Amino acid sequence: MSEINEKRKVAIVTGAGQGLGLEIAKKFLSEEMKVVFVDVNQQLLNEVKNSADLQPYLSNSKFLQVDVSDVAAIKHSVNEILREWFRIDILVNNAGVRKETSIEDMTEEEWNKILSVNLGGTFFYSQAVLATMKSQKSGRIINISSYGGQAGPLSSGAHYCASKAGQLVLTKTFARSLASQGITVNAVAPAAIETPEMKNIDTNKLAKMKDSIPVQRFGREEEVAGIVSYLASDAAGYITGSTFDINGGLLMR
Ligand SMILES: NC(=O)c1ccc[n+]([C@@H]2O[C@H](COP(=O)([O-])OP(=O)(O)OC[C@H]3O[C@@H](n4cnc5c(N)ncnc54)[C@H](O)[C@@H]3O)[C@@H](O)[C@H]2O)c1
């Protein structure tokens, strides 16, 4: 079978060097997709590529160092994917940076950085894959937002929460615009999932956070990957513009 007729779906996962992005990317590989691991951190990409878990899947994996706040780099990556794999079926906008800066200490530089990665990256990666998804008359975009974008800070700053709230409205904006063209756009809003990033949170704060979660534990990466996998599937074709909470009951709405 020539590459161009290959039936495997092609998924791009941003921030796939560790944490939720890595778990989502591995889930897609286990579902027989081709997966593009996008991350700004080349060392993390190398570690993933060399890990035992990935060895059976290397022919279905591509590793691209991309800073999602760099629009030219995003466009370049999409062209590279299309040149080799011809299609793009799924985009997961997962790359994100969290900072716990107070309102008083916020600098313009830090504000711009967080907004351009978390929100700009989501907008411009989605924009970059649209022409391809429209020509295929199908596609799935899934934005990894946060409880912080719904309820305000748990362990983050105003910039992070604003970027995550922005992702929720981008989800609806893209969903409305693309609904009639076979493309769905949804968001997942996690809170307190155990990823490497959690090591940056003060241990006393973590203990208090855990006590406040109704299910009395932190979330697991595979629990988030499970929702993303469902939203990426053909079975979820009637769901668009929605936000799926995964927060142990911290926010019930
Ligand atoms: N872990 C949680 O509890 C939680 C809760 C709510 C929301 N989220 C969201 O889920 C996503 C993943 O979180 P995580 O906990 O796995 O984080 P993480 O820090 O463990 O992983 C994030 C990945 O994104 C990459 N990245 C950072 N900046 C980038 C850039 N400019 N371009 C490309 N890649 C970049 C990092 O190198 C890293 O590999 C984030 O968007 C985060 O805001 C996580």
Side-chain angles (χ1 to χ4, degrees):
M1 192 193 297
S2 75
E3 276 282 4
I4 208 151
N5 291 325
E6 168 135 25
K7 290 281 190 300
R8 275 178 202 261
K9 287 182 179 165
V10 172
I12 303 172
V13 183
T14 71
Q18 65 175 26
L20 296 181
L22 176 57
E23 193 68 25
I24 293 163
K26 285 193 203 164
K27 176 90 176 160
F28 285 161
L29 282 174
S30 75
E31 292 169 346
E32 312 226 312
M33 295 185 198
K34 290 183 164 186
V35 178
V36 186
F37 291 69
V38 164
D39 207 285
V40 71
N41 186 327
Q42 183 66 54
Q43 194 186 326
L44 286 178
L45 289 176
N46 291 343
E47 283 167 21
V48 172
K49 189 174 180 177
N50 294 328
S51 66
D53 285 2
L54 260 287
Q55 297 317 298
Y57 299 104
L58 285 184
S59 62
N60 292 324
S61 307
K62 191 183 288 299
F63 301 87
L64 297 181
Q65 184 186 23
V66 180
D67 178 345
V68 300
S69 65
D70 178 343
V71 180
I74 289 175
K75 288 182 183 161
H76 188 265
S77 73
V78 168
N79 289 338
E80 194 172 333
I81 295 160
L82 289 174
R83 204 165 43 242
E84 288 185 41
W85 284 351
F86 310 103
R87 54 184 305 123
I88 296 169
D89 299 281
I90 296 154
L91 167 67
V92 182
N93 287 306
N94 165 82
V97 198
R98 185 187 60 84
K99 282 262 188 183
E100 200 169 351
T101 309
S102 69
I103 293 172
E104 290 77 8
D105 292 340
M106 186 73 63
T107 62
E108 184 180 2
E109 188 189 11
E110 193 181 306
W111 173 271
N112 288 340
K113 159 89 179 159
I114 300 279
L115 268 291
S116 67
V117 174
N118 298 4
L119 188 57
T122 297
F123 179 84
F124 287 108
Y125 237 119
S126 305
Q127 185 195 53
V129 301
L130 274 197
T132 305
M133 288 187 176
K134 281 183 181 176
S135 72
Q136 293 167 186
K137 296 187 170 50
S138 71
R140 297 273 188 267
I141 298 176
I142 299 146
N143 297 325
I144 309 300
S145 173
S146 174
Y147 164 95
Q150 301 167 303
L154 191 61
S155 57
S156 56
H159 46 3
Y160 177 85
C161 294
S163 72
K164 293 287 159 183
Q167 281 183 305
L168 298 181
V169 89
L170 282 188
T171 300
K172 293 177 190 173
T173 307
F174 277 78
R176 225 180 262 286
S177 158
L178 299 165
S180 63
Q181 298 177 69
I183 303 166
T184 68
V185 188
N186 291 291
V188 174
I193 312 295
E194 241 171 332
T195 68
E197 213 276 328
M198 205 179 241
K199 289 192 204 101
N200 302 326
I201 304 177
D202 172 75
T203 42
N204 289 332
K205 187 162 190 173
L206 272 182
K208 278 195 194 136
M209 206 193 282
K210 196 182 205 168
D211 283 344
S212 69
I213 300 173
V215 304
Q216 293 284 292
R217 66 167 174 84
F218 294 126
R220 302 183 185 112
E221 292 175 350
E222 60 270 25
E223 293 174 317
V224 178
I227 301 182
V228 174
S229 154
Y230 172 66
L231 291 173
S233 73
D234 293 341
Y238 197 54
I239 302 173
T240 197
S242 293
T243 297
F244 284 71
D245 299 346
I246 172 156
N247 57 35
L250 266 175
L251 177 72
M252 301 186 187
R253 61 191 176 105

